[in-house]
Amino acid sequence: MSRDLQHRLHSRLELAAQMLDLPLTAQHLEDLAVELTPAVKALLAEQADAQAAAAPVSYAVVETDGVRTTTYAQCTSRIDVTVAEDSPAALLAAAFRTRQPDVVATDVPSATYLGLTVRPQSLHAWAWWVERLRLDPVALTRQDSSVYGVGNVDGVVVHVRGDGVSDLMADESAARLMGLLAETEPAS
């Protein structure tokens, strides 16, 4: 690749020198081609990387055992094939997926039930989910690094799993101040 690139660069430099009537010898052009090849190769690599970053996000739809699974932008969406795409739970799941970067997965087994997995980046983000899903801090349960709760949004029962939320709530006093943990009675 480098040798081919070097030859192509040499021919372009020779053409440019002729068109601009530059006083460059064949040895000057050869030296320029040799010296510029690594820089041009790096520019081409950067351009290829930029194009790869701008390429469409991978998208996959798979249907197995009556569940249609879609993976898009690191978010997995599962919906039972018997559930209408315009059902309340499906519409709520779609709204969360498209508007909230914290959403990792949505599961819609029925028209009025949504399983939601989120990975909030801060206590404030988790507080937003608690408020939006109308979760009761007393009813939240912790298991490993996740927190689980059940809320209700516009008639849709939402069972949420907050990945990494236990780690975010390591500062229990801050979590209590934000209303994310229920106040406990001091031990006597």
Side-chain angles (χ1 to χ4, degrees):
M1 170 70 185
S2 290
R3 194 82 170 139
D4 181 49
L5 179 61
Q6 195 173 18
H7 287 297
R8 290 170 46 204
L9 185 57
H10 181 273
S11 66
R12 298 311 191 287
L13 288 170
E14 189 174 40
L15 179 64
Q18 288 172 359
M19 290 178 67
L20 298 172
D21 197 25
L22 297 174
L24 298 175
T25 65
Q27 187 58 44
H28 288 132
L29 292 171
E30 182 68 28
D31 292 345
L32 274 172
V34 169
E35 291 295 321
L36 290 175
T37 298
V40 170
K41 193 174 183 181
L43 285 172
L44 293 172
E46 287 176 6
Q47 183 182 16
D49 187 47
Q51 287 175 344
V57 178
S58 62
Y59 187 91
V61 179
V62 178
E63 189 174 316
T64 55
D65 299 327
V67 176
R68 185 172 34 260
T69 303
T70 306
T71 304
Y72 178 76
Q74 283 79 41
C75 181
T76 302
S77 167
R78 290 177 285 276
I79 184 168
D80 191 286
V81 294
T82 62
V83 177
E85 295 286 333
D86 62 349
S87 69
L91 292 174
L92 184 61
F96 283 149
R97 279 192 315 273
T98 57
R99 296 186 187 132
Q100 299 301 324
D102 293 347
V103 176
V104 175
T106 60
D107 295 286
V108 182
S110 74
T112 58
Y113 180 89
L114 169 62
L116 181 66
T117 303
V118 297
R119 190 172 295 130
Q121 300 302 307
S122 67
L123 271 178
H124 291 287
W126 177 244
W128 184 90
W129 284 107
V130 168
E131 176 71 23
R132 177 68 174 97
L133 301 175
R134 298 181 188 101
L135 301 174
D136 181 5
V138 175
L140 294 177
T141 58
R142 287 196 239 185
Q143 184 177 1
D144 298 323
S145 67
S146 297
V147 172
Y148 298 85
V150 178
N152 191 312
V153 178
D154 301 327
V156 176
V157 175
V158 181
H159 185 222
V160 67
R161 173 183 171 188
D163 279 349
V165 172
S166 286
D167 298 335
L168 294 174
M169 290 202 286
D171 183 359
E172 288 195 24
S173 58
R176 286 189 205 294
L177 280 172
M178 295 178 73
L180 299 173
L181 289 175
E183 293 295 328
T184 56
E185 295 295 322
S188 18

